[in-house]
Amino acid sequence: MKIRTLRKGEERLWVELDTLAGEVEQKLTEFLALREAKKSDQMCFLAAFVGKKLVGKLQGIPCGLERYYVQSLKIAERADFECTSGELISHLQKSLSCKEIMALSETVAPGPMDRLLLERGFQIMIERIFVEREIIDYRSPFDDPFTYKSMDEVGRDLMIQVFTEGMLMGEIREINKVRSKGQPPDFSDEFEQMIEEVGRPMAEKMWRLAFLGEEPVGMVLPSLYRSNPDCGKTEFICIRPAHAGKGYGVILHAYSLEQLSRAGAKKYSDSTDSIKRPMLAVFEKNGCHKVERAYRLYCWLK
């Protein structure tokens, strides 16, 4: 078996490996455009060949010099999954100069992909739990003490300040340890990326800081799914450290559910990390139930 980057002219082999016959031409056009956009990136498309036959492929994306994300790993039906995928991952570990590799497993229960990553030295960074509930005509049952203000009212700097405090309270600090190198944390890029993902009009309309008097106590960022406006989620929610442990999180979350309902959402679908028990408790108190979906984010450090 030979592992190497995909060469020009082999794009059809790449697409045909896991595409239905009737969809090959469309997928090929999409892949050619994707590859052209990433032509300067190294190791984005890693292929496993036995002779001239493509038996496995790994697609990923380098994020600067520090990190590489494995986006997908596909093995041909008649190929040995453990052997082929193991060779692809090992080649990646030996060839990349970055300090960490991130990979995702999206099965409800740990499967072959999970076992492979653990055998290759990866560790679980995040396990995600998914929840749902109906929110038609939902109204918060709580005596809400907060005044809510939009980004236009409070300004971008205060929004990012509270967002940063929330990020530092969560497990995201571990994932960003390599990137920060002891420097003061700056999550402004992450905040702007979230705005772009949900759409600026949505963020300006629905994202709020919660105040007690003149003091900002927390943040709640509800949004509708772009692909399904009948369904909503909470992009981010946090209580500032000085006010944590007072039961405010469940009130903010209920406010998010109400705003999504008023915006037309019929269903709430969200997720959090399995180790974030306070957030799981908030979901439960506000009537959300777990659904049979999960994913695990793995990290390998050089």
Side-chain angles (χ1 to χ4, degrees), residues 17-32:
L17 181 65
D18 62 342
T19 304
L20 297 175
E23 300 176 351
V24 168
E25 296 305 323
Q26 177 185 345
K27 295 293 184 180
L28 179 59
T29 299
E30 294 172 357
F31 179 69
L32 287 170

Side-chain angles (χ1 to χ4, degrees), residues 106-159:
E106 298 184 274
T107 56
V108 174
M113 181 65 174
D114 299 83
R115 291 193 294 271
L116 167 72
L117 293 172
L118 290 172
E119 289 172 358
R120 300 290 167 173
F122 284 74
Q123 295 183 345
I124 295 179
M125 296 295 294
I126 295 173
E127 185 173 23
R128 205 75 174 167
I129 304 296
F130 291 80
V131 300
E132 292 180 352
R133 70 153 292 165
E134 290 187 359
I135 54 172
I136 298 173
D137 296 327
Y138 177 89
R139 296 297 180 265
S140 174
F142 300 104
D143 184 12
D144 194 332
F146 301 121
T147 300
Y148 295 92
K149 297 184 180 181
S150 67
M151 283 197 293
D152 283 344
E153 293 175 289
V154 303
R156 178 178 178 275
D157 289 347
L158 183 55
M159 292 289 285

Side-chain angles (χ1 to χ4, degrees), residues 5 41-46 58 60-62 68 91-92 95-96:
T5 54
D41 289 338
Q42 299 297 313
M43 307 293 287
C44 285
F45 309 104
L46 196 60
L58 185 154
I61 179 171
Y68 181 95
H91 185 88
L92 199 63
S95 304
L96 287 175

Side-chain angles (χ1 to χ4, degrees), residues 44-80:
C44 285
F45 309 104
L46 196 60
F49 282 88
V50 173
K52 294 183 179 181
K53 184 178 180 180
L54 179 67
V55 295
K57 61 181 185 179
L58 185 154
Q59 183 171 324
I61 179 171
C63 296
L65 301 176
E66 302 285 356
R67 183 178 300 158
Y68 181 95
Y69 283 96
V70 177
Q71 296 176 306
S72 66
L73 178 64
K74 303 289 185 181
I75 307 300
E77 287 186 8
R78 296 185 179 182
D80 184 298

